Amino acid sequence: MSLILFSLPALEAMAGDIRRGCGATAGEYEMRHFPDGETYVRVLSDVAGAEVAVLWQLHQPDSTVLPLLMLVNTLKDLGAKRVGLVAPYLAYMRQDKRFHAGEGISQRYFARLLSQQVDWLVTVDPHLHRISALSEVYTIPALAMTAVEPMAGWIRTHVTNPVVIGPDGESEQWAASVAKAAGCPCEVLTKERFGDRDVKVSLPHVDNYRGHTPVLVDDIISTGKTMIQAAQHLMDAGLSAPVCIGVHGIFAAGAQQEMAAAGLKVVTCDSIADHTNAIALGPLLARGMKEILQ
Ligand code: R5P
């Protein structure tokens, strides 16, 4: 059976890696907006009876998800056997509980919406904090790949004498895996968050790591405050400016400028297209697609 991959134009390089990795052909479509902002979709490939995957960027989901759903529904209307979603970055994972009375638990609602619309999901390092598996909120087959190996590979080839540092307790198990795969030591800091842009990071035990290059790794870089605070403490303690690696560079307004002003080198995986992308996730996603389609 044919496997056809449709892709957001911004992710075309990654789409090429995925197509090569799992033997898919490129789906062709047109998408534009009517003058009133509504989405126009026209699928040009024959998808009748085909396994179809859509590679989409869910960064800024409130504007990107509706066009995705228009494409998915068009593909189903045209007879695709199944339509799966390859989302290198899975949005709406952080509001995973009711922190204050009356709040919505957007993680659940978003998962419900996607589960109703697509037949399967492959993603990379979703923010699993108070839930431990996507299956707790997604009712479709949902596979979470991890960027541990690609990140470790980048560290091995680009950083001299690295020490991987997790900027907070949440990152501990994950930072340890990256360090193990990169063959270097690991240190984890503790973090307290007082507000969206107010984060305090504890001093680490740095004495063992003088002469090492600190590599801060986190799943998400949003405001950059977590990285900046952690880096500042490392530098105050006499370590060199760290390399900051994020799987998903969301980059809230001003984040990159603030990180640059703090003297940080920032590297991201290519889950969200950006000039900081240096670690390709396409081959990993191709493996995930093959696994979920078996
Ligand atoms: C938090 O739970 C995540 O793992 C990241 O540490 C967080 O999203 C980073 O956010 P920011 O860049 O705004 O400090």
Side-chain angles (χ1 to χ4, degrees):
M1 181 183 304
S2 61
L3 173 60
I4 306 175
L5 179 71
F6 287 78
S7 163
L8 198 66
L11 297 177
E12 190 42 46
M14 177 185 277
D17 284 344
I18 296 176
R19 286 197 298 268
R20 281 185 290 279
C22 62
T25 57
E28 292 184 28
Y29 70 104
E30 291 173 9
M31 182 176 279
R32 60 183 168 80
H33 290 104
F34 290 110
D36 61 4
E38 293 181 2
T39 298
Y40 167 89
V41 183
R42 182 180 179 200
V43 169
L44 305 173
S45 305
D46 178 9
V47 295
E51 285 283 3
V52 173
V54 178
L55 172 65
W56 212 254
Q57 188 160 282
L58 300 186
H59 174 46
Q60 304 290 357
D62 293 10
S63 57
T64 56
V65 170
L66 204 51
L68 164 69
L69 298 186
M70 292 298 166
L71 176 57
V72 165
N73 280 273
T74 306
L75 292 164
K76 287 184 173 174
D77 248 1
L78 294 173
K81 182 175 177 238
R82 287 192 296 181
V83 181
L85 172 62
V86 182
Y89 168 66
L90 185 57
Y92 275 117
M93 285 298 289
R94 286 177 290 175
Q95 182 77 18
D96 55 3
K97 74 171 215 180
R98 184 167 289 119
F99 297 92
H100 302 102
E103 285 181 347
I105 306 173
S106 53
Q107 182 193 68
R108 288 188 200 159
Y109 316 145
F110 189 67
R112 190 183 305 152
L113 173 72
L114 285 189
S115 296
Q116 288 164 348
Q117 296 286 327
V118 298
D119 296 303
W120 52 262
L121 166 70
V122 174
T123 189
V124 179
D125 287 316
H127 187 76
L128 296 172
H129 184 194
R130 277 159 286 261
I131 65 165
S132 59
L134 289 175
S135 58
E136 291 178 41
V137 287
Y138 281 82
T139 55
I140 50 173
L143 181 60
M145 306 299 285
T146 177
V148 162
E149 275 298 337
M151 286 194 294
W154 189 90
I155 292 169
R156 278 195 302 269
T157 53
H158 291 85
V159 184
T160 306
N161 201 17
V163 52
V164 168
I165 299 187
D168 59 22
E170 283 174 37
S171 64
E172 181 166 7
Q173 195 175 353
W174 192 65
S177 303
V178 173
K180 188 174 173 202
C184 68
C186 179
E187 176 83 33
V188 175
L189 316 184
T190 54
K191 176 176 85 175
E192 283 181 276
R193 185 179 281 281
F194 301 99
D196 286 349
R197 290 174 180 262
D198 185 8
V199 172
K200 185 176 176 214
V201 181
S202 73
L203 280 169
H205 307 111
V206 292
D207 286 341
N208 295 340
Y209 303 113
R210 302 203 182 280
H212 284 67
T213 306
V215 182
L216 284 162
V217 294
D218 208 349
D219 57 346
I220 294 172
I221 305 175
S222 179
T223 64
K225 297 291 183 201
T226 300
M227 289 293 198
I228 291 169
Q229 291 276 348
Q232 200 55 58
H233 283 294
L234 297 174
M235 291 190 282
D236 287 350
L239 297 188
S240 53
V243 179
C244 299
I245 305 182
V247 180
H248 309 295
I250 294 175
F251 297 124
Q256 290 197 355
Q257 290 84 339
E258 286 184 39
M259 293 180 84
L264 306 184
K265 174 180 169 62
V266 181
V267 166
T268 57
C269 299
D270 59 357
S271 61
I272 297 168
D274 186 73
H275 70 94
T276 57
N277 293 165
I279 303 170
L281 296 178
L284 183 74
L285 287 162
R287 285 207 300 280
M289 261 181 70
K290 284 206 282 196
E291 191 177 325
I292 210 157
L293 287 171
Q294 262 176 7

